[in-house]
Amino acid sequence: MSEPQQQQVNLGSLSLEQLQMVREQVEAEIQQLSESIQQLKHASNKYIEAKEAMGGLKGTDGKDMLVPLTSSIYLPGKINSNEKVLVDIGTGYYVEMGIEQGQNFSNRKVQLITEQVNKVQTAINMKRQNLESIVQVAQSKISLYKQQQAQQSQQQVQQK
Amino acid sequence: MSSTKAPVPPTQAEIQQIQDQLIKARDAFQVHETELQKLSASRSKLLTQLNENEMVKKEFDLLESEAKIYKLNGPVLFKQTKEEAENTITSRLDIINNNLKTIETNFKDIEKKAMEQRNKIFEYQNKIRSLTAPPPPQAQ
């Protein structure tokens, strides 16, 4: 589906108040996108940890382990099988997978997230450029205003 | 020398009237903005769900037909066939896409109204600014 139409704004035609509004909007958008990147990286780390955990299962067939019942009570147990894991693939669905298959799943997720991070970073860079344009236009307007003020002052002096 | 007659300054009533119109336009704009934010939040949630379900669908496509699939209902995992699971996901995707279309239509409509109000605000602001600006120095 198409994104809502991005509004094109001719910065030169805006007043200083309007430029300030647009500037604040762009800054808010940058902040939001930055937070998105943090969340994506956090999710990516989870998948990496999961992959490492699955890797740690190899060669552990029949080994002793402790099963946590609560945060302070454990039961002794044995690993029955290290060939299968149950993977949460989203929206309440779980699939039984071999360890290699599960690790491939994690790899795919990390790759997808990396792609998204790159897209968001590109968007941030673009908005930062927009922000610089806004600041430049605002500054040139201020300079022009001061120039006009100075000229008016001179005219008034000459009239006296 | 005869002095040029100064332009008649706008009455206070005229300025007040424009300011009232400005306040109305600003309030209307705010209402539209609030509605857009709600639609934006709904759309965002639906897009997240759409993305999630599409990725689950892709994972199903990678599985062999005899894969053991479980569906979480509350705290319990129920076994499902691949076909059952795929049908469920497909239905969800259809519902989500329909909802997204509805939201997009509403969004464009209200966004247009908000833009109109915003333009009115700028118009009234400029009008007030020009009316309240100090008159140019008298030419002698």
Side-chain angles (χ1 to χ4, degrees), chain A residues 5 23 28 44 59 86 89 97 137 140 155 157:
Chain A
Q5 190 85 20
R23 174 184 176 174
S44 180
L86 200 61
I89 64 175
M97 293 186 187
V137 171
S140 64
Q155 289 176 4
V157 168

Side-chain angles (χ1 to χ4, degrees), chain B:
Chain B
M1 121 186 356
S2 64
S3 63
T4 311
K5 192 174 184 180
V8 179
T11 66
Q12 197 62 31
E14 285 176 15
I15 297 177
Q16 186 62 44
Q17 185 183 12
I18 299 176
Q19 280 175 345
D20 288 343
Q21 285 176 314
L22 175 61
I23 290 172
K24 280 184 185 176
R26 200 165 55 196
D27 289 346
F29 176 76
Q30 191 57 49
V31 169
H32 293 325
E33 278 285 292
T34 302
E35 287 171 8
L36 289 176
Q37 279 166 15
K38 287 179 183 175
L39 286 175
S40 227
S42 295
R43 183 173 174 276
S44 192
K45 190 181 293 182
L46 284 172
L47 283 176
T48 299
Q49 289 174 3
L50 181 71
N51 192 47
E52 258 194 327
N53 282 277
E54 277 177 348
M55 287 204 285
V56 170
K57 188 170 186 298
K58 283 179 185 174
E59 291 298 326
F60 282 162
D61 292 340
L62 292 173
L63 298 174
E64 63 272 8
S65 56
E66 303 84 21
K68 295 180 181 178
I69 297 174
Y70 300 86
K71 177 74 169 68
L72 189 66
N73 278 326
V76 183
L77 286 172
F78 289 95
K79 200 100 174 283
Q80 263 192 8
T81 65
K82 188 187 177 190
E83 189 180 352
E84 276 176 326
E86 282 180 335
N87 286 341
T88 301
I89 293 294
T90 302
S91 297
R92 285 184 189 172
L93 288 171
D94 288 343
I95 292 171
I96 292 171
N97 280 313
N98 287 336
N99 287 343
L100 279 169
K101 283 174 186 171
T102 301
I103 285 183
E104 186 170 8
T105 302
N106 291 344
F107 194 92
K108 285 178 177 175
D109 183 47
I110 297 175
E111 192 174 43
K112 186 182 175 187
K113 291 176 182 175
M115 204 57 57
E116 287 167 4
Q117 295 301 327
R118 193 161 101 162
N119 290 336
K120 281 185 183 178
I121 290 172
F122 290 154
E123 181 184 324
Y124 292 141
Q125 281 174 342
N126 289 334
K127 211 179 265 187
I128 290 176
R129 189 173 298 116
S130 63
L131 286 177
T132 57
Q138 201 74 25
Q140 295 177 359

Side-chain angles (χ1 to χ4, degrees), chain A residues 43-141:
Chain A
S44 180
N45 286 336
K46 289 221 166 197
Y47 283 115
I48 292 172
E49 286 170 5
K51 182 188 171 187
E52 288 167 357
M54 282 185 272
L57 282 176
K58 293 177 179 176
T60 61
D61 195 27
K63 289 205 169 176
D64 292 334
M65 60 178 285
L66 289 177
V67 182
L69 290 190
T70 69
S71 60
S72 56
I73 298 178
Y74 293 82
L75 284 184
K78 278 184 185 294
I79 296 179
N80 182 46
S81 165
N82 62 353
E83 293 175 3
K84 296 291 183 180
V85 292
L86 200 61
V87 176
D88 177 0
I89 64 175
T91 70
Y93 277 101
Y94 293 76
V95 178
E96 193 173 89
M97 293 186 187
I99 289 180
E100 294 292 331
Q101 197 179 356
Q103 287 181 322
N104 288 339
F105 172 85
S106 289
N107 285 337
R108 284 198 300 275
K109 290 298 187 182
V110 170
Q111 186 182 340
L112 280 174
I113 292 174
T114 301
E115 287 167 9
Q116 293 305 310
V117 167
N118 291 337
K119 286 181 183 177
V120 175
Q121 189 61 56
T122 300
I124 287 180
N125 294 341
M126 192 175 299
K127 288 185 186 297
R128 285 204 174 123
Q129 287 174 19
N130 292 347
L131 198 58
E132 285 184 12
S133 299
I134 293 168
V135 170
Q136 282 171 18
V137 171
Q139 283 174 354
S140 64
K141 278 184 181 289

